[in-house]
Amino acid sequence: MTRSSVQGEDTRQGASDAPERAEAAVGGAEGTGDGDGGAEAGRRRPRRGRRVLRWTAVTLAVLLAGTAGAGYLYYERLNDNIKKDALNLGDNKVAAPTPNAAGQTPLNILVIGSDARDSEENQQLGGARETFGATPLADVQMLVHLSADRSNMSVVSMPRDTLVKIPKCTDPDDGKVYPASEGRTMTNQSLGHGGPGCTVATWQELTGIHIDHFVMVDFAGVVSMADAVGGVPVCVDANIHSRDSQGHGSGLKLEKGTHPVKGEQALQWLRTRYGFDDGSDLARAEAQHMYLNSMVRTLRENATLSSPNKLRRLAEEATGALTVDPGLDTVKKLYDLSNELRKVKPERITMTTMPNRYVGARVEPTEDAERLFRLVREDIALDGKDEKKKPADKKPEVPDDPAAADGEIAVQVRNGTRTDRLGAARGRADTVAGLLVEQGFTKAVTDPSVLPSEDLTVVRYPSTDLEGDARRVAESLGIPASSVRRSTDVSGVTLIVGADWREGTAYQAPAADDKAPESAEALNGADDGACMHVNPAFTWS
């Protein structure tokens, strides 16, 4: 069960008035608004919250805009439209990936949007007037991963109510320090801890993925950009009206079949939860992914975008809707990024949602989520169509901080062999701690106070100065480097013996599965036959 959560928008504006010659194939998409608030009686699944995944489409559309392939657009005031904010407000940074043999590195862009209603226009589109001026929440969060060789693109949506630990963040405007969250809290609250840079920091802490840029948009931009591109075809398998007897729903009303949607109707599509499938955010994320894939195909095929006037309008709406980090703060930089993104054909674009499970009314990442994150970290295509890399092509990552002598490395060993069906295997932490001591890690001890549940054996460390130590521990036991992860859940180098090592003294790493897990519900960008299933309770004749 999944959904997307994107962060909020920043109203701070850039100050440059300098005209700039811009090549703008800037594509428009829609955001995912939320008008579906309110309790939903009789649903099998707990309600995930009232605000919806609003912004995914519009922001990702801007990023994918280069796929339109339109020519040059010279426009004087576009740079002035773009708002800027700091990239990462956390203390910890994730090292950029090692370049491949050709010197190329992947690009990771976090697409974020908020539930803020900070203008009359946004309130009219988004509802919830009582939230005017309140701290914005990150309703949609999508990570766009462009492979190093520019052959494929992966998109990972995170449910907005995913329980995470938000790191300490410092607001760049007033210097206010937001302490790290005590325990886990909903990821959408990260935006209110100083701005979008705190959402970036939160993602990096959770996934270990280096994020190069972020992009945000607002409600009004969603609607105007949808009009600018002339509509995006979407499909429903029955007549739908997203409105229940209590007035909950986006208001979307469509007849069965495929229809181009634009403006407020496109926003309604991206906001709809009541009426699609089982009414969960999972269904809404599926609808958003269908829309985005269709939009990319439309931009590639739409000859009307060769019109200078349409391109000008599209560029105006796109830049006016954006808040970006300093690395994307001009039309030229955005255009260069779009040129990189346009190299990927729709059939090599894979949309996914972070695998998760319910914790009460909230969700948390599953083991499959870590598998998905690993594929992104290691730049492995989620469609499984990568050419097999030769061992020589894979350069081992070298931590900035070298390992201490084995006898100086303190290691806690925990028994994480418990599964849904089996209890913890007795004595596993003691056995593995003994193995480490025999190999010279004389400070290895058992930690019986915590009995986690891990499918795979993993070594965790809390900060970059311990990365080398953690990798050395893993290496000594034959644990792959991909199972060494930084985590704020531990206070030192911690080895968790997983369910894959319930017996024996020699660790056998399982064969790497380099395909996206089924629970990620992957959707291919070239799938033009996708059609949303309509809940019979929301149909009409």
Side-chain angles (χ1 to χ4, degrees):
M1 294 162 250
T2 43
R3 36 170 208 210
S4 312
S5 333
V6 167
Q7 296 172 249
E9 80 178 300
D10 187 344
T11 56
R12 292 183 287 271
Q13 188 142 328
S16 172
D17 280 326
E20 177 165 335
R21 177 183 179 190
E23 297 180 331
V26 186
E30 333 290 298
T32 43
D34 182 307
D36 298 13
E40 182 179 6
R43 299 287 180 193
R44 292 175 301 165
R45 303 184 184 192
R47 181 165 56 93
R48 292 194 177 185
R50 297 181 180 174
R51 296 180 179 87
V52 185
L53 323 169
R54 331 169 185 262
W55 306 119
T56 302
V58 63
T59 339
L60 190 56
V62 172
L63 293 183
L64 298 177
T67 58
Y72 299 134
L73 176 67
Y74 306 98
Y75 194 72
E76 296 180 352
R77 300 183 182 273
L78 294 183
N79 285 341
D80 247 0
N81 289 345
I82 303 171
K83 298 174 283 290
K84 299 95 176 173
D85 213 330
L87 174 61
N88 187 340
L89 304 184
D91 291 340
N92 296 323
K93 313 301 178 186
V94 174
T98 303
N100 62 16
Q104 303 165 305
T105 54
L107 272 175
N108 294 306
I109 305 104
L110 188 62
V111 178
I112 57 183
S114 80
D115 70 341
R117 280 84 172 185
D118 54 0
S119 70
E120 182 177 350
E121 185 177 9
N122 278 330
Q123 283 191 21
Q124 290 174 350
L125 294 170
R129 294 173 182 273
E130 70 278 5
T131 66
F132 180 77
T135 301
L137 299 173
D139 265 5
V140 184
Q141 303 175 25
M142 272 191 174
L143 182 69
V144 178
H145 172 82
L146 180 63
S147 66
D149 62 6
R150 306 306 190 248
S151 67
N152 65 87
M153 186 186 303
S154 303
V155 180
V156 180
S157 302
M158 183 188 294
R160 70 176 185 268
D161 56 1
T162 300
L163 295 174
V164 299
K165 287 190 174 181
I166 299 175
K168 185 182 79 171
C169 293
T170 303
D171 191 314
D173 290 338
D174 58 16
K176 180 177 180 179
V177 176
Y178 293 82
S181 61
E182 296 183 6
R184 298 189 302 175
T185 189
M186 289 170 56
T187 185
N188 66 352
Q189 296 183 20
S190 58
L191 184 61
H193 289 218
C198 195
T199 303
V200 170
T202 301
W203 264 80
Q204 292 196 156
E205 289 281 348
L206 176 67
T207 67
I209 297 169
H210 174 81
I211 295 177
D212 300 281
H213 301 291
F214 73 78
V215 180
M216 298 192 299
V217 292
D218 63 20
F219 276 131
V222 169
V223 172
S224 57
M225 289 169 64
D227 292 339
V229 299
V232 174
V234 295
C235 176
V236 287
D237 66 2
N239 297 343
I240 181 175
H241 187 201
S242 178
R243 186 74 70 198
D244 68 9
S245 59
Q246 295 179 307
H248 304 139
S250 69
L252 177 71
K253 190 171 184 179
L254 287 175
E255 294 182 356
K256 176 181 178 180
T258 300
H259 311 275
V261 294
K262 59 182 179 179
E264 291 191 47
Q265 192 175 48
L267 182 63
Q268 289 173 338
W269 173 275
L270 293 161
R271 294 169 54 196
T272 295
R273 176 164 60 92
Y274 292 84
F276 284 156
D277 204 4
D278 64 354
S280 71
D281 275 335
L282 171 61
R284 177 157 46 203
E286 181 183 358
Q288 292 173 353
H289 291 166
M290 287 184 185
Y291 178 93
L292 292 172
N293 285 337
S294 180
M295 182 198 65
V296 172
R297 293 192 298 269
T298 298
L299 286 170
R300 281 182 174 272
E301 300 165 2
N302 193 341
T304 63
L305 288 180
S306 62
S307 161
N309 286 335
K310 285 188 176 291
L311 277 174
R312 182 177 297 111
R313 182 184 177 191
L314 186 57
E316 291 175 11
E317 303 296 355
T319 54
L322 294 181
T323 300
V324 299
D325 68 273
L328 294 176
D329 61 358
T330 67
V331 172
K332 178 62 167 60
K333 292 176 182 177
L334 287 169
Y335 180 73
D336 288 344
L337 175 61
S338 76
N339 262 346
E340 294 296 292
L341 294 165
R342 68 180 292 188
K343 295 175 182 178
V344 181
K345 296 180 180 179
E347 55 266 28
R348 295 303 312 278
I349 297 173
T350 305
M351 303 276 185
T352 65
T353 309
M354 183 197 77
N356 60 83
R357 57 179 163 244
Y358 279 107
V359 180
R362 310 305 180 199
V363 299
E364 66 181 5
T366 63
E367 292 75 15
D368 278 354
E370 169 51 30
R371 178 174 152 197
L372 192 65
F373 298 152
R374 178 185 68 82
L375 295 178
V376 175
R377 287 196 303 269
E378 297 182 7
D379 195 26
I380 298 172
L382 298 185
D383 59 8
K385 297 178 181 178
D386 266 346
E387 293 184 7
K388 293 298 182 183
K389 296 181 175 68
K390 299 177 182 179
D393 293 338
K394 297 183 178 181
K395 296 182 178 179
E397 295 183 18
V398 179
D400 293 334
D401 186 72
D406 292 353
E408 296 299 318
I409 299 176
V411 188
Q412 289 189 342
V413 184
R414 296 174 180 173
N415 187 345
T417 57
R418 176 174 53 87
T419 70
D420 292 338
R421 296 184 178 182
L422 299 173
R426 290 188 177 183
R428 292 307 295 161
D430 288 332
T431 298
V432 175
L435 291 174
L436 285 170
V437 171
E438 289 176 4
Q439 295 188 33
F441 294 88
T442 54
K443 291 187 176 182
V445 296
T446 301
D447 178 11
S449 65
V450 181
L451 289 176
S453 177
E454 293 283 350
D455 285 350
L456 302 177
T457 298
V458 63
V459 180
R460 295 196 171 106
Y461 61 95
S463 55
T464 53
D465 61 316
L466 292 177
E467 181 180 2
D469 293 355
R471 288 181 178 272
R472 173 61 190 139
V473 170
E475 179 187 24
S476 71
L477 294 173
I479 298 170
S482 59
S483 294
V484 179
R485 290 291 317 282
R486 196 173 89 180
S487 171
T488 55
D489 289 334
V490 297
S491 58
V493 176
T494 304
L495 167 61
I496 302 175
V497 184
D500 60 339
W501 199 10
R502 291 179 62 87
E503 58 185 20
T505 56
Y507 180 70
Q508 296 292 327
D513 187 346
D514 288 348
K515 291 185 179 180
E518 290 187 10
S519 56
E521 303 189 6
L523 180 66
N524 186 270
D527 184 359
D528 59 3
C531 201
M532 285 304 299
H533 174 62
V534 175
N535 188 315
F538 290 86
T539 193
W540 55 276
S541 59

